[in-house]
Amino acid sequence: MSDNYLIGGPVTSAVINTFIEKMAKETASGGHSIFLGQVRADEINGKIVMAIEYSAYESMVKAEADKIIETVLAEYDDVKSVRIIHSTGEVRAGEISLAILVSACHRQQAMQACTKTVELIKERLPVWKKEIFEDESHAWRENK
Amino acid sequence: MEVKVLFFGVLAEVTGTAIKYYLNVNNMSDLRFRISDDFPEIVHYNYRIAINNQIIDGEPPLKSGDEVAFLPPFAGG
């Protein structure tokens, strides 16, 4: 569990490194699985996505992320920790907007639990994204 | 009673409103009616409603101080 699952702007390599350093202290773990979500420069109707502006319902993000982590820990008994950090505000194409880090005794559950966490985040986390195009127009996008 | 209403994502954009307080609200049905009166355009959008961070099903009772959030489909990740 965390007090804050959100970060303003992109999830930088410095932030990811901090998480990896914390995981290194979990010496019962034998494997970490990491998922990084990146903003794609999609082309939509002839216009290229330059950035995504994320917004979030902060108090509900905290409640839902806590529940997601509880769900994953209950389902995968080999998993020692699950960490989630999601961007708010503007994240440019090529930058990271989501990091999930799962630590487990063995690799199989680390990878399965990481995939499960990604799916639950897409389904349950109250976050919205507005794609910003080169011409400064925008479009709201929802998860499929 | 007074409730705090929040709009997110595209709904904040189309209503031009992120937060609005409603006084003398009797129940959820009353609140829905008043919101659709103030913001008729939201009928064109899909959304779910959360009360105090819990997505609701149906028309649960409201109490003073509740936070009622209008949530378009999520797009995290």
Side-chain angles (χ1 to χ4, degrees):
Chain A
M1 306 300 148
S2 166
D3 289 335
N4 192 6
Y5 296 101
L6 297 169
I7 187 170
V11 181
T12 61
S13 54
V15 170
I16 296 162
N17 277 341
T18 305
F19 281 120
I20 292 171
E21 284 164 11
K22 284 181 186 163
M23 291 162 83
K25 297 193 174 91
E26 291 165 8
T27 51
S29 293
H32 310 308
S33 184
I34 298 175
F35 174 83
L36 302 176
Q38 175 172 291
V39 171
R40 266 195 317 268
D42 277 346
E43 183 178 337
I44 298 165
N45 300 328
K47 294 192 289 188
I48 306 289
V49 173
M50 295 288 289
I52 289 178
E53 189 180 302
Y54 289 94
S55 53
Y57 183 8
E58 293 190 14
S59 60
M60 191 172 164
V61 163
K62 160 80 178 137
E64 289 298 317
D66 282 351
K67 279 192 251 174
I68 288 169
I69 292 173
E70 279 170 24
T71 302
V72 171
L73 289 174
E75 188 169 335
Y76 298 94
D77 59 3
D78 199 44
V79 170
K80 298 298 172 196
S81 70
V82 178
R83 292 185 171 84
I84 298 167
I85 189 90
H86 198 299
S87 293
T88 58
E90 188 173 297
V91 182
R92 299 181 67 80
E95 292 181 324
I96 302 300
S97 58
L98 168 65
I100 296 167
L101 301 93
V102 177
S103 186
C105 294
H106 305 89
R107 68 186 182 283
Q108 197 169 26
Q109 283 208 9
M111 291 188 281
Q112 288 169 350
C114 190
T115 301
K116 175 84 178 189
T117 306
V118 176
E119 297 307 319
L120 291 175
I121 283 172
K122 293 207 168 260
E123 182 188 322
R124 296 191 196 167
L125 214 63
V127 172
W128 297 275
K129 62 179 153 197
K130 190 165 81 171
E131 291 171 329
I132 314 286
F133 299 102
E134 291 162 310
D135 61 359
E136 297 184 357
S137 62
H138 71 264
W140 292 91
R141 184 69 46 194
E142 61 187 74
N143 287 339
K144 294 185 177 69
Chain B
M1 66 176 154
E2 183 187 57
V3 297
K4 179 182 182 182
V5 173
L6 305 176
F7 296 102
F8 288 96
V10 69
L11 294 179
E13 183 174 283
V14 299
T15 62
T17 304
I19 303 175
K20 186 173 168 76
Y21 290 87
Y22 281 86
L23 294 167
N24 304 319
V25 176
N26 295 316
N27 50 43
M28 197 59 218
S29 163
D30 180 30
L31 181 64
R32 281 181 195 270
F33 180 77
R34 288 172 62 181
I35 286 172
S36 62
D37 213 29
D38 286 346
F39 307 109
E41 59 277 21
I42 73 167
V43 73
H44 302 296
Y45 294 86
N46 290 323
Y47 59 84
R48 289 182 290 173
I49 294 174
I51 300 178
N52 303 329
N53 295 331
Q54 293 283 338
I55 290 178
I56 61 163
D57 193 16
E59 304 279 320
L62 281 176
K63 60 183 187 307
S64 195
D66 276 350
E67 186 171 282
V68 181
F70 284 68
L71 312 174
F74 299 156

